[in-house]
Amino acid sequence: MNLPLNISALSLPLPPASPQFIDLYRPGTDAQAGQATAQELTDGLTAPAASVSPKFFYNELGSKLFEAITGLEEYYPTRTEAGIFEAAHTPIAATLAAAGISRPCLIDLGAGNCAKAMTLIPHLQPRQYVPVDISVEFLRDAAEQVQNNFPALDIVGVGMDFSAGLALPDEVQPYDRVFFYPGSSLGNFHPAQALQFLKHIADPAQGKARGLLMGIDLVKDTARLEAAYDDALGVTGAFNKNLLLNVNELLASDFDVRQWRHVALFNAAESRIEMHLEATSELTVRWPGHERLFKAGERIHTECSYKYTVDGMTTLLRQAGFKHIEYWTDPDSWFAVFWAAV
């Protein structure tokens, strides 16, 4: 005889209705946001030294190209950082536990494909996982993959430009927040901007963080640094040029990627890698209400990636209000993972 199944009597916890996804970044559909994006791009392209923010790399194709970059032989940061996490996940978890954080809300800034967080989730055992990225559709698919791997985990994906502020939605757990910022992405900020961004994370009125777990690329020889941003296959060049296709879509401009070449160099005085797009001949780019003549050899600055020393990053974190700072490095000291408690 088949008896009706009484779910409540079994007292089995049901998985949360997740992943939730909250899209706060809609530059192409929301009129006000679209105007702000167009103005930001116009300001950069009409400046005496033209520039475009690196956040505009990350449309769906750009995110896929960056994923390909992380597998290149020349691009050491991803595999080196992964090696540190693999070797140090036990002391990292112990450090969080010592700070009284046993089930954090893990907020993954610039989550991309979420692969880095997925290696840590079994060890940190977060109560909630919050992947945040500007590439909305790419992130939506990645959050689904995380849910498939961890069915009982509460996941709230957030599509947003976190460089403009850290006002997370109410669905994000307000306590025991641990911000996860791998990949040395902090290096995309000028050091003064990086300091302000770190202050926002630590601010009880903004990020409300208990701590920060962050990957930082360290200073090393110029040849190795430049090769990582100018690979033999040209994948990084394609990634850089794809920014122009994204600008065309957002600004209704008429960039022709065939008229531009990828340039990557290490500026030792500023301790940063610079990426540029250089016009191969004289050309004019037009978009509604504007146009700009670029001379042959004129560049658009698309990215800076600052490289730090351990002492330099420790000082920056302390200036931002963090304390109890620890770090782990690879055997060659190419890369470091920092933990900083508020």
Side-chain angles (χ1 to χ4, degrees):
M1 180 178 179
N2 293 326
L3 296 176
L5 181 64
N6 186 338
I7 296 293
S8 61
L10 293 176
S11 299
L12 294 175
L14 296 175
S18 144
Q20 299 181 67
F21 197 89
I22 301 165
D23 184 3
L24 304 179
Y25 183 72
R26 299 173 183 172
T29 57
D30 182 271
Q32 186 175 1
Q35 290 171 3
T37 297
Q39 189 60 56
E40 179 181 357
L41 288 168
T42 295
D43 290 346
L45 290 171
T46 56
S51 65
V52 175
S53 169
K55 69 186 180 185
F56 294 109
F57 285 134
Y58 297 101
N59 60 358
E60 189 170 5
L61 177 57
S63 294
K64 290 177 179 177
L65 285 168
F66 184 73
E67 191 173 9
I69 287 169
T70 64
L72 296 171
E73 177 62 29
E74 297 98 327
Y75 196 77
Y76 63 85
T78 300
R79 64 177 179 272
T80 306
E81 183 181 51
I84 296 171
F85 284 129
E86 176 62 27
H89 59 71
T90 298
I92 289 172
T95 299
L96 268 66
I101 306 170
S102 58
R103 297 292 307 279
C105 170
L106 188 64
I107 301 171
D108 188 357
L109 299 178
N113 63 7
C114 303
K116 295 175 181 179
M118 279 199 285
T119 65
L120 284 178
I121 285 171
H123 307 287
L124 300 186
Q125 294 289 305
R127 185 179 303 276
Q128 185 180 64
Y129 173 58
V130 183
V132 182
D133 207 288
I134 200 171
S135 184
V136 175
E137 292 308 316
F138 189 79
L139 180 64
R140 196 188 302 272
D141 292 342
E144 292 283 356
Q145 289 300 314
V146 179
Q147 192 74 83
N148 290 340
N149 282 275
F150 303 98
L153 179 59
D154 181 21
I155 299 174
V156 180
V158 182
M160 67 180 288
D161 176 10
F162 59 84
S163 69
L166 284 170
L168 294 166
D170 292 341
E171 289 82 356
V172 177
Q173 177 179 306
Y175 50 89
D176 283 353
R177 288 184 174 182
V178 170
F179 282 81
F180 181 50
Y181 201 24
S184 201
S185 296
L186 187 75
N188 292 146
F189 294 99
H190 183 278
Q193 296 172 322
L195 177 59
Q196 289 304 310
F197 183 70
L198 292 172
K199 286 181 176 179
H200 290 165
I201 291 176
D203 187 346
Q206 296 190 54
K208 306 174 185 177
R210 290 286 306 281
L212 169 67
L213 187 63
M214 178 174 62
I216 290 293
D217 198 10
L218 301 178
V219 175
K220 59 187 67 63
D221 65 280
T222 297
R224 193 173 304 280
L225 284 167
E226 289 186 344
Y229 293 82
D230 193 10
D231 61 280
L233 284 175
V235 182
T236 311
F239 172 71
N240 200 8
K241 291 181 182 181
N242 178 67
L243 174 143
L244 297 179
L245 299 182
N246 194 26
V247 171
N248 282 348
E249 184 173 346
L250 295 171
L251 195 59
S253 53
D254 62 353
F255 280 100
D256 183 343
V257 297
R258 295 169 297 184
Q259 297 176 314
W260 298 85
R261 77 178 188 94
H262 167 67
V263 176
L265 56 92
F266 183 61
N267 182 334
E270 298 288 341
S271 192
R272 70 189 189 192
I273 281 283
E274 297 177 6
M275 290 211 315
H276 302 262
L277 289 164
E278 184 177 279
T280 57
S281 61
E282 185 171 288
L283 57 95
T284 298
V285 177
R286 298 175 176 84
W287 64 99
H290 299 275
E291 66 176 42
R292 175 159 183 167
L293 171 70
F294 288 92
K295 297 179 181 179
E298 193 170 357
R299 294 174 176 177
I300 300 173
H301 189 173
T302 57
E303 184 179 37
C304 284
S305 183
Y306 284 85
K307 309 304 174 183
Y308 287 89
T309 64
V310 166
D311 288 346
M313 180 49 57
T314 299
T315 298
L316 193 68
L317 287 166
R318 292 197 185 283
Q319 290 174 341
F322 290 93
K323 49 196 174 187
H324 305 304
I325 297 166
E326 298 189 39
Y327 66 92
W328 299 266
T329 64
D330 61 284
D332 296 312
S333 294
W334 285 358
F335 203 94
V337 170
F338 280 83
W339 163 256
V342 176

